[in-house]
Amino acid sequence: MKKLVVDIRGKGDFCEIGSAVASVSGDCEIFIKEGTYREKIFIDKPNIRLTGEDREKVQLVFGDYAMMERENGYPIGTFETATLRVGEKGEGFSIENMTVINDAGEGNVVGQAVALYLDCDKAYIHNCRLSARQDTLLCAPIPSDITGKPMPLNRQYFKDCFIEGNVDFIFGGACALFENCEIFIVGRSGFPSGYVTAACTDKEQEYGFVFKNCNISGSGARERAFLGRPWRDYAKTVFIDCKWDDIIHPEVFSKWNNRLSHLTCFYGFDGMKEFKGSKAEWVHYIDDSGKYSVENMFGEMFDEADR
């Protein structure tokens, strides 16, 4: 695999991450030295690996937002806002030891603003910090009624990451595992103060969003946020061996303004004996947590070296 070095101070092969990506056709590890890189990057090549020198000291930052106007006067919309986007041809993408930020601001002012948009299969995200407010992380695919085409199976593995936002800040239709992650709900005024997830899992897909051994906390008022709400019918989201503080509402999950999506979705968590709050009647307790293992979800796709 080809290797390149990016250094904003000019002591590497390139000064910009985007320039390094543009120089290769795929199968490349790009090592990124300390610095704040204000770039908007699109990767649509296989097996690109971004490796930062230090998670907190390597920052990729941009600030596009959904309400921004195009030249024709229409807003760009959610899916054009990502600071870092990986397209369908980006199979095998991985990113490690760096921060990706969308600094556009609060959703009630600027609309959705995505930090990382993954529309690829076999993605591995390790020890990264992902930061925005509304719609921080898009684990695509997105619904067929938006794209006009079938939803592919995108498998994505997040390990030891810190992910923060407030409204629907982890969303999409991927088969995605979040293991040993810190999930932080950034406080905002009003009720609710946030939703961690908004899934749109395909009807035929066995797994949606799976959180294992994660800690969910936040800076908002107590009992004003939810672990998720179903973006579309058949959405799947479960929490296994996770902990959350009193920022989470006693009902845990929300119906999404009484849409009927909750009638077909599968939302749940384990730990019935430890749970002291109430829950909606359509939320399940998970009895067979062993079903949600790396091996069952991904097979041998992510080997021990990646874990």
Side-chain angles (χ1 to χ4, degrees), residues 21-185:
V21 172
S23 73
V24 298
S25 59
D27 300 291
C28 183
E29 180 177 358
I30 300 172
F31 183 77
I32 305 165
K33 302 285 283 185
E34 292 181 7
T36 299
Y37 297 81
R38 193 158 193 96
E39 304 180 52
K40 184 180 177 74
I41 297 173
F42 176 54
I43 297 174
D44 207 22
K45 304 170 182 182
N47 302 313
I48 297 293
R49 181 168 190 166
L50 303 181
T51 303
E53 186 173 22
D54 181 282
R55 185 175 87 170
E56 303 304 323
K57 296 179 180 179
V58 177
Q59 298 193 352
L60 174 62
V61 186
F62 214 72
D64 280 357
Y65 53 92
M67 294 182 184
M68 287 179 63
E69 290 188 358
R70 303 178 190 272
E71 291 183 359
N72 61 10
Y74 289 96
I76 67 171
T78 304
F79 309 114
E80 300 297 326
T81 64
T83 298
L84 172 59
R85 177 180 174 184
V86 183
E88 296 176 2
K89 297 178 182 178
E91 180 176 308
F93 170 78
S94 67
I95 182 171
E96 185 171 19
N97 300 339
M98 59 184 290
T99 292
V100 181
I101 300 172
N102 188 314
D103 63 357
E106 288 292 346
N108 59 357
V109 177
V110 302
Q112 298 87 343
V114 178
L116 177 61
Y117 178 173
L118 296 175
D119 197 13
C120 61
D121 190 23
K122 302 179 182 178
Y124 180 62
I125 301 86
H126 179 234
N127 193 37
C128 287
R129 178 173 170 248
L130 309 176
S131 178
R133 293 296 181 266
Q134 183 168 347
D135 290 12
T136 303
L137 170 62
L138 173 47
C139 299
I142 54 179
S144 298
D145 60 308
I146 295 175
T147 64
K149 56 185 180 181
M151 294 174 67
L153 176 60
N154 286 342
R155 293 158 291 184
Q156 301 165 1
Y157 183 17
F158 297 79
K159 187 175 181 182
D160 304 325
C161 292
F162 179 92
I163 306 169
E164 68 176 352
N166 46 37
V167 177
D168 304 333
F169 64 96
I170 300 174
F171 71 115
C175 168
L177 172 61
F178 299 82
E179 189 170 31
N180 305 332
C181 293
E182 289 287 330
I183 311 297
F184 190 83
I185 305 166

Side-chain angles (χ1 to χ4, degrees), residues 7 14 24-25 30 47 54 75 79 104 117 162 165 167 185 191 194 210 212 219 223 234 250 269 275 304:
D7 189 337
F14 294 91
V24 298
S25 59
I30 300 172
N47 302 313
D54 181 282
F79 309 114
Y117 178 173
F162 179 92
V167 177
I185 305 166
F191 178 83
V210 176
K212 292 190 68 177
S219 59
E223 298 186 355
Y234 306 102
F269 54 91
F275 185 66
E304 290 294 332

Side-chain angles (χ1 to χ4, degrees), residues 176-179 207-212 237-238 240 292 297:
L177 172 61
F178 299 82
E179 189 170 31
Y207 299 98
F209 293 160
V210 176
F211 294 80
K212 292 190 68 177
T237 301
V238 300
I240 307 294
Y292 300 96
M297 291 182 66

